[in-house]
Amino acid sequence: MLLKDKVVIITGAASERGLGRATAKLFAENGAKIVIADLNEQASVNAANALPGEGHMGVAVNVADEQQVQAAKEKILAKYGRIDSLVNYAGITQPLKVMDIKAENYDAVLNVSLRGTLLMSQAVIPTMRQQKSGSIICISSVSAQRGGGIFGGPHYSAAKAGVLGLARAMARELGADNIRVNAITPGLIQTDITQGKLSDEQTAQIIAGIPLARLGNAIDIAGAALFLASDLSSYSTGITLDVNGGMLIH
Ligand code: NAD
């Protein structure tokens, strides 16, 4: 039980095959009280109810909307009175070439991943500061490190590179309050984020470049998140944990 009675907010965790959902399940199995924070209230509540153990919660929140984020935080604090960890999974991607990126594409992708990570972090930091403890996990992507070329367009790579910078700078600023901030850079993981738009041929090409010779599974990322949320990583902050099957070794 690595997270016994810890209160953990996981954004973007309603998606059934998603990374957030797998993380929520693993964390709940490790004793955590989970807040599923996703766009649709019913989907969030259903996901929370499906978790092992008791005392979980589902809230509706658009992470890119400051008012909604603050309202969700109030609900969470009213129920639990503390927040031990935040995992920022909410994100979207779009397979666009650079000249096809319109302002609305840029805003959509950057707002969820980058603004959302900032707003959610700002929402939990005061409570973590009072507690003098907390772990914030930011979800970047191998696309940020290798310059895309997998599925998302350049605006996705930029958003996820921004997340890395944000995580590292927050780690530096918040260390004195014993708040750790770390990032995970997943490779290509089998979820619904690509919306069936990745062809078998593209998938085979990607696998050919992966030393472990397979795509990732959501549980592969959940395990990395468990390490970062728990005391197993008590002396790690500002790190980037690559979970990509060796797709990028640097
Ligand atoms: P997913 O599409 O299964 O889940 C994403 C979730 O985010 C959905 O439940 C969606 O409703 C939610 N969401 C979207 N916009 C939101 C908003 N504004 N506010 C709150 N919730 C919102 O995707 P996934 O594959 O589980 O991806 C999770 C994260 O991991 C994303 O940030 C993604 O960019 C990142 N990532 C995924 C992969 C991969 O290969 N699957 C690789 C690298 C990084």
Side-chain angles (χ1 to χ4, degrees):
M1 288 278 186
L2 287 167
L3 297 176
K4 181 120 187 64
D5 295 331
K6 300 285 187 198
V7 177
V8 182
I9 304 173
I10 308 184
T11 72
S15 170
E16 207 159 324
R17 289 184 349 115
L19 307 183
R21 182 75 84 98
T23 301
K25 184 163 176 286
L26 183 64
F27 281 23
E29 286 165 359
N30 275 274
K33 307 285 181 220
I34 307 294
V35 181
I36 305 266
D38 209 306
L39 288 170
N40 181 281
E41 175 149 29
Q42 198 54 52
S44 299
V45 170
N46 291 348
N49 289 341
L51 292 172
E54 305 214 320
H56 310 301
M57 175 182 190
V59 292
V61 62
N62 174 355
V63 296
D65 181 317
E66 190 169 4
Q67 278 185 351
Q68 290 190 31
V69 168
Q70 289 299 324
K73 177 195 74 172
E74 295 304 332
K75 275 192 204 163
I76 294 162
L77 281 178
K79 182 170 165 80
Y80 301 103
R82 59 181 295 115
I83 299 167
D84 296 291
S85 187
L86 163 69
V87 194
N88 287 299
Y89 275 113
I92 58 170
T93 188
Q94 298 168 343
L96 297 177
K97 300 282 184 209
V98 65
M99 292 306 290
D100 298 327
I101 299 169
K102 307 277 185 248
E104 60 264 30
N105 303 121
Y106 178 93
D107 288 345
V109 169
L110 273 281
N111 273 345
V112 183
S113 272
L114 192 49
R115 187 188 299 269
T117 297
L118 175 65
L119 292 179
M120 286 300 303
S121 301
Q122 287 176 329
V124 303
I125 286 166
T127 302
M128 291 181 171
R129 276 196 160 132
Q130 277 172 10
Q131 295 167 184
K132 285 268 178 246
S133 74
S135 168
I136 297 175
I137 300 167
C138 300
I139 305 301
S140 177
S141 167
V142 72
S143 299
Q145 300 163 302
R146 47 163 271 159
I150 299 172
F151 181 80
H155 56 330
Y156 178 76
S157 297
K160 292 302 193 182
V163 167
L164 275 187
L166 176 64
R168 290 171 182 176
M170 288 197 297
R172 195 177 291 282
E173 189 177 327
L174 302 175
D177 289 308
N178 194 32
I179 302 170
R180 299 183 297 109
V181 188
N182 294 293
I184 300 176
T185 42
L188 186 56
I189 318 295
Q190 307 182 75
T191 69
D192 295 328
I193 199 167
T194 49
Q195 297 178 321
K197 288 183 191 152
L198 204 63
S199 71
D200 290 348
E201 199 186 338
Q202 283 171 307
T203 304
Q205 257 179 19
I206 291 167
I207 292 175
I210 300 177
L212 291 182
R214 65 170 176 87
L215 298 187
N217 297 313
I219 188 71
D220 296 320
I221 306 301
L226 178 61
F227 168 69
L228 292 176
S230 74
D231 288 343
L232 288 178
S233 60
S234 52
Y235 199 49
S236 294
T237 196
I239 71 167
T240 302
L241 202 47
D242 291 347
V243 189
N244 61 30
M247 175 196 280
L248 180 75
I249 297 175
H250 58 119

